[in-house]
Amino acid sequence: MSVELPFAPVDTIIRRNAGSLRVSADAAEELARRIQGHGATLAIDAAEHATADGRKTLMAQDFGVEQAIDKDSLTLPIAPVDRIARLRIDNKYRVAMDARIALADILEDYAEDIALAAATLARHANRRTIKAEDIQTYFELFE
């Protein structure tokens, strides 16, 4: 599965949580891959909610969000998040703009938590660089 999410905004999220640590390109790529998988899984659940309500359009409420935030406040771009939402659901579903924004917000929060933990793991290992292995270790420990 190719990664739909560009690495640059993911790198930005990691750097926000890294403090003085450096960030390897592999870390951004690994986190982007994890974000994408999580987003696709959330979209499956959202599609089930929409189907139960007799709709073919995913809405923010299908992701458990009552009111979407302003899209300009997000780091993750909306277009790739739309593609992520469609990765594992039938093409019969549409994804409303509020659902795209809601999913981007959820994924950004998810990425922030992982990035913060990865920074802690890198410091614990007495390294000055956050690596892909820190992201992987997070998932081994907490998922």
Side-chain angles (χ1 to χ4, degrees), residues 53-141:
D53 286 348
R55 290 182 281 107
K56 291 186 179 186
T57 301
L58 303 185
M59 300 170 68
Q61 66 208 39
D62 298 320
F63 291 99
V65 175
E66 293 302 317
Q67 183 174 1
I69 64 165
D70 178 28
K71 71 178 182 175
D72 294 333
S73 67
L74 294 170
T75 301
L76 296 178
I78 302 301
V81 170
D82 179 47
R83 290 190 299 273
I84 288 169
R86 297 168 192 273
L87 282 174
R88 296 188 197 149
I89 61 174
D90 292 336
N91 286 332
K92 67 180 181 180
Y93 292 100
R94 293 180 302 273
V95 183
M97 181 55 80
D98 69 333
R100 296 174 202 173
I101 294 168
L103 181 56
D105 185 30
I106 291 167
L107 294 178
E108 198 164 311
D109 288 345
Y110 180 75
E112 293 275 352
D113 292 343
I114 297 165
L116 185 59
T120 300
L121 289 166
R123 285 187 192 97
H124 182 72
N126 286 326
R127 278 188 279 103
R128 295 183 350 189
T129 303
I130 298 172
K131 298 181 176 184
E133 68 188 59
D134 298 313
I135 307 293
Q136 294 163 351
T137 300
Y138 169 85
F139 284 94
E140 290 169 8
L141 293 173

